[in-house]
């Protein structure tokens, strides 16, 4: 339990440190990489908490997601390298206040609530995967199916929003994109 | 014995706070999405900790984490779709230039 708490704290500090770095660097590619490292540290926390399936899933998913995000950053940002030193923030004081209040409220609940006894022994990895499979295809099947359909809908909606709008030209026989 | 649970919950809380700051302070759509990702990561850490240390016999906790991961993927897909549409329309994804979206 002591080693688990130690490694949980180490990966927690890494996740927080890289999370802060996301908004402290001017370079957008560095921001995306910092978020990738932060999310990977979160995945490592899952592994330390003996949730192997979710930990590996988190690391694999975030590696792909953040690589795509870095490409989008370079495509869309006015100053992706951060060489111009542009300030890309607004309402800073309000944002810091909101962040501190949100974190403070969650910390207060974590410290003041009576969580009861902590379970020391986690189910074996194979057992977890088996039981999660039973949960997904049994009691939570409707939620699982809804999540799948939601992703499909989001993919279609995102593609529909992203493709250029086609309209007929004034002479009526030729399509032009806006 | 609750030290491990508290460490995980504190990490989740701080990640959520950093995410709130990022989502509110950034002017770029992609950076705002990064803040939302951090908030969801904080929520996931808490969910896994609750499952592992309080109710490892019930797999609804892990199921909930999968739902949050789905929300992350959906947020990214729709967010990038909107970013491409905005970039095509006005050549920028700066949210300070998106006043035309006000009701």
């Amino acid at each position: 339990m002591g080693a688990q708490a130690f490694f949980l704290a180490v990966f927690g500090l890494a996740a927080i440190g890289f999370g802060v770095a996301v908004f402290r660097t001017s370079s957008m590619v560095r921001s995306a990489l910092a978020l990738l490292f932060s999310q990977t540290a979160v995945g490592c926390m899952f592994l330390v908490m003996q949730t192997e399936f979710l930990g590996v899933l988190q690391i694999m998913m975030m590696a792909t997601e953040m690589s795509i995000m870095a490409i989008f950053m370079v495509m869309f940002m006015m100053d992706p390298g951060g060489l111009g030193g542009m300030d890309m923030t607004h309402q800073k004081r309000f944002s810091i206040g909101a962040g501190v209040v949100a974190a403070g409220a969650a910390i207060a609940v974590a410290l003041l609530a009576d969580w009861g006894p902590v379970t020391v022994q986690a189910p074996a990895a194979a057992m977890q995967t088996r039981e999660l499979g039973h949960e997904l295809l049994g009691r939570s099947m409707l939620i699982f199916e809804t999540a799948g359909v939601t992703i499909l809908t989001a993919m279609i909606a995102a593609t529909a929003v992203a493709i250029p709008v086609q309209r007929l030209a004034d002479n009526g026989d030729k399509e032009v994109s806006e | 014995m609750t030290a491990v649970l508290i460490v995980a919950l504190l990490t989740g809380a701080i990640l959520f706070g950093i995410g709130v700051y990022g989502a509110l302070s950034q002017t770029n759509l992609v950076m705002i999405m990064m803040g939302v990702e951090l908030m969801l990561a904080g929520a996931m850490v808490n969910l896994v900790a609750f499952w592992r240390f309080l109710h490892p016999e019930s797999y609804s906790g892990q199921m909930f984490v999968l739902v949050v991961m789905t929300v992350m993927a959906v947020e990214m897909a729709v967010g990038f779709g909107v970013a491409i549409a905005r970039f095509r329309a006005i050549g920028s994804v700066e949210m300070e230039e998106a006043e035309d979206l006000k009701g």
Side-chain angles (χ1 to χ4, degrees):
Chain A
M1 217 55 165
Q4 192 178 38
F6 172 75
F7 283 110
L8 211 51
V10 168
F11 286 120
L13 284 174
I16 292 167
F18 283 118
V20 171
V22 170
F23 303 113
R24 281 189 62 86
T25 174
S26 304
S27 164
M28 296 303 121
V29 177
R30 281 188 196 149
S31 284
L33 286 177
L35 187 59
L36 167 61
F37 292 140
S38 178
Q39 300 281 8
T40 305
V42 168
C44 292
M45 286 180 76
F46 292 177
L47 293 178
V48 172
M49 287 190 274
Q50 294 160 287
T51 322
E52 279 85 352
F53 176 71
L54 293 179
V56 173
L57 186 65
Q58 165 80 359
I59 292 170
M60 284 169 61
M61 198 175 135
M62 287 305 143
T64 325
E65 207 173 294
M66 294 310 137
S67 310
I68 296 169
M69 197 172 240
I71 294 168
F72 271 79
M73 285 294 209
V74 176
M75 281 163 64
F76 290 148
M77 298 294 284
M78 284 183 285
D79 181 21
L83 300 174
M86 281 176 67
D87 184 23
M88 307 286 276
T89 57
H90 61 169
Q91 51 181 10
K92 237 178 171 174
R93 197 172 290 178
F94 169 73
S95 308
I96 291 171
V100 168
V101 168
I107 288 170
V109 172
L111 293 178
L112 299 177
D114 177 22
W115 297 111
V118 166
T119 310
V120 178
Q121 195 68 36
M127 173 77 173
Q128 279 184 43
T129 313
R130 182 176 172 275
E131 289 298 322
L132 184 60
H134 279 284
E135 177 78 25
L136 288 175
L137 298 176
R139 209 165 64 96
S140 301
M141 191 176 214
L142 188 62
I143 304 168
F144 184 52
E145 292 295 330
T146 309
V149 172
T150 308
I151 289 182
L152 179 65
T153 312
M155 283 164 62
I156 296 169
T159 311
V161 166
I163 54 173
V165 179
Q166 300 284 323
R167 64 178 172 81
L168 289 176
D170 291 339
N171 60 12
D173 57 357
K174 192 180 170 189
E175 280 192 343
V176 293
S177 60
E178 283 180 344
Chain B
M1 287 298 267
T2 54
V4 274
L5 176 64
I6 296 296
V7 168
L9 294 186
L10 291 183
T11 306
I14 296 170
L15 278 178
F16 187 81
I18 297 169
V20 169
Y21 163 75
L24 291 177
S25 69
Q26 300 299 309
T27 57
N28 188 283
L29 178 61
V30 186
M31 290 298 285
I32 293 170
M33 282 162 60
M34 286 191 168
V36 177
E37 295 271 316
L38 276 175
M39 287 161 70
L40 291 172
M44 281 198 303
V45 170
N46 281 14
L47 285 169
V48 171
F50 286 139
W51 172 81
R52 167 62 185 84
F53 298 117
L54 298 180
H55 299 288
E57 74 288 345
S58 167
Y59 285 82
S60 307
Q62 289 206 15
M63 178 66 215
F64 213 146
V65 176
L66 287 177
V67 170
V68 176
M69 282 185 179
T70 308
V71 172
M72 279 174 130
V74 168
E75 174 241 328
M76 289 280 286
V78 175
F80 284 137
V82 171
I84 291 174
R86 282 300 292 174
F87 198 78
R88 276 222 174 90
I90 62 165
S92 163
V93 288
E94 288 296 308
M95 287 297 101
E96 285 191 332
E97 296 168 15
E99 285 187 345
D100 53 314
L101 295 178
K102 273 186 183 170

